[in-house]
C-alpha cells in the first residue's frame, strides 16, 4: 500500500473476483471495474480515480476513455512484440522511499480541479501522441513526452512533487534519462523513468541510494 502502483485497486478487484468465483460466478471485467470503483469511491469514500480499478480488471495495454456520462470505454492497444520489448527495455523503476497516501495528494487538486483546466487539456492531448509514438514513432521521443507530461502534472498541486523527488528526478535526467514520472497520484512511492539502454548503468549509479526494481510487461 501507499506505493503508487495501484495496489489498493488490484486488491479490491482481486478480492471481488475471488468472492464471485467462490460463489461459482464469473463476472465481466466491466462489472469488476464498476463494482470496485463503487467500493473505493462510494463505500470507503476515498478520493481516488477510476483508472487503477479499470487497469486491474481488464489487464493488458489499453486506451481508457472516461466519458462524461460516467461510462468507461476500454480499447486494447496491440503492438508488435519487438516494439513493446524495446519500450520495456528502456523503462526503469526506482523506489523513492517516500510513503504517501494517494487520497491526500489527489484531494490537493481534485477539490479545485476546474482551475487546472489548461494542464488537464494538455495532458489529455498527450495520450494520442504517446500511442502514436509507441506505435511507429521514435521511442526516445516518448521519453521526452513523458518529461513534458510530468512537468504538467507537477503543476496540478504542490503535493504532487517535493524537493527530494525533484532532486532525484534532476539527477536521473543528468545521468541520461529522457523523462519520467511518479507512479500514481504523486508525492512519493515509485519513480518510473525512460532511459535508453546504454545510459542505464549511469542512471543506476547516480541513483544507487534508491531501490531499483527490475520489472517487465506481463502479457498474460
Amino acid at each position: 500500500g501507499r506505493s503508487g502502483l495501484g495496489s489498493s485497486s488490484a486488491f479490491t478487484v482481486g478480492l471481488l473476483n475471488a468472492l464471485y468465483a467462490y460463489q461459482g460466478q464469473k463476472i465481466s471485467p466491466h462489472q469488476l471495474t464498476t463494482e470496485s470503483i463503487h467500493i473505493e469511491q462510494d463505500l470507503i469514500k476515498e478520493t481516488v480515480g477510476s483508472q487503477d480499478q479499470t487497469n486491474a480488471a481488464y489487464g493488458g495495454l489499453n486506451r481508457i476513455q472516461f466519458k462524461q456520462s460516467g461510462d468507461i470505454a476500454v480499447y486494447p492497444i496491440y503492438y508488435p512484440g519487438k516494439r513493446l520489448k524495446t519500450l520495456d527495455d528502456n523503462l526503469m523503476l526506482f523506489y523513492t522511499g517516500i510513503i504517501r497516501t494517494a487520497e491526500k495528494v489527489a484531494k490537493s487538486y481534485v477539490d479545485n480541479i476546474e482551475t487546472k483546466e489548461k494542464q488537464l487539456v494538455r495532458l489529455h492531448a498527450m495520450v494520442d501522441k504517446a500511442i502514436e509514438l509507441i506505435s511507429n514513432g521514435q521511442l526516445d521521443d516518448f521519453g521526452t513526452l513523458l518529461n513534458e507530461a510530468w512537468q504538467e502534472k507537477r503543476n496540478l498541486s504542490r503535493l504532487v512533487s517535493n524537493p527530494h523527488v525533484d532532486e532525484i528526478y534532476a539527477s536521473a535526467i543528468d545521468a541520461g534519462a529522457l523523462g519520467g514520472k511518479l507512479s500514481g497520484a504523486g508525492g512519493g512511492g515509485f519513480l518510473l523513468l525512460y532511459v535508453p539502454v546504454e545510459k542505464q548503468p549511469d542512471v543506476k549509479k547516480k541513483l544507487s541510494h534508491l531501490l531499483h526494481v527490475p520489472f517487465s510487461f506481463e502479457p498474460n
Side-chain angles (χ1 to χ4, degrees):
R2 302 186 178 187
S3 63
L5 296 179
S7 52
S8 60
S9 295
F11 177 84
T12 308
V13 169
L15 178 61
L16 264 182
N17 202 26
L19 291 173
Y20 274 112
Y22 181 70
Q23 295 175 334
Q25 299 180 54
K26 182 172 175 60
I27 64 169
S28 67
H30 180 265
Q31 188 178 344
L32 268 179
T33 298
T34 54
E35 290 190 12
S36 298
I37 291 169
H38 171 63
I39 289 170
E40 292 197 60
Q41 295 181 1
D42 302 326
L43 301 185
I44 304 176
K45 301 194 182 303
E46 294 256 321
T47 305
V48 293
S50 304
Q51 68 284 344
D52 289 345
Q53 303 90 334
T54 310
N55 277 320
Y58 280 86
L61 191 60
N62 305 296
R63 184 186 193 282
I64 303 170
Q65 186 177 22
F66 301 95
K67 301 184 179 182
Q68 287 185 331
S69 63
D71 290 338
I72 300 174
V74 179
Y75 306 99
I77 300 171
Y78 302 103
Y79 296 118
K82 189 177 178 183
R83 188 80 176 169
L84 213 52
K85 174 75 167 57
T86 305
L87 174 63
D88 200 357
D89 290 342
N90 287 346
L91 295 176
M92 301 181 79
L93 193 66
F94 290 89
Y95 182 52
T96 64
I98 303 170
I99 297 174
R100 87 294 175 276
T101 307
E103 182 182 31
K104 184 179 179 183
V105 178
K107 262 185 174 296
S108 68
Y109 56 79
V110 166
D111 289 345
N112 62 343
I113 198 75
E114 292 83 4
T115 65
K116 313 295 182 183
E117 184 177 355
K118 288 181 181 178
Q119 292 100 314
L120 294 171
V121 167
R122 285 194 288 265
L123 282 167
H124 181 268
M126 291 179 186
V127 175
D128 288 332
K129 189 175 179 183
I131 292 172
E132 184 183 333
L133 286 172
I134 296 173
S135 298
N136 48 34
Q138 292 291 327
L139 278 179
D140 283 359
D141 290 342
F142 171 76
T144 306
L145 184 67
L146 204 55
N147 177 59
E148 292 175 28
W150 172 240
Q151 301 310 326
E152 291 290 352
K153 184 169 180 174
R154 282 180 77 256
N155 291 328
L156 290 177
S157 159
R158 61 182 179 81
L159 295 184
V160 170
S161 190
N162 55 60
H164 181 55
V165 169
D166 289 343
E167 185 181 338
I168 294 170
Y169 189 82
S171 295
I173 296 294
D174 286 345
L178 297 181
K181 71 181 292 290
L182 284 179
S183 181
F190 284 84
L191 177 67
L192 178 73
L193 295 169
Y194 181 98
V195 189
V197 174
E198 65 275 11
K199 293 288 186 180
Q200 290 184 11
D202 295 336
V203 171
K204 245 181 129 173
K205 186 177 179 181
K206 193 85 169 181
L207 302 184
S208 58
H209 59 295
L210 300 179
L211 177 66
H212 172 231
V213 183
F215 78 98
S216 60
F217 295 143
E218 172 54 61
N220 295 320

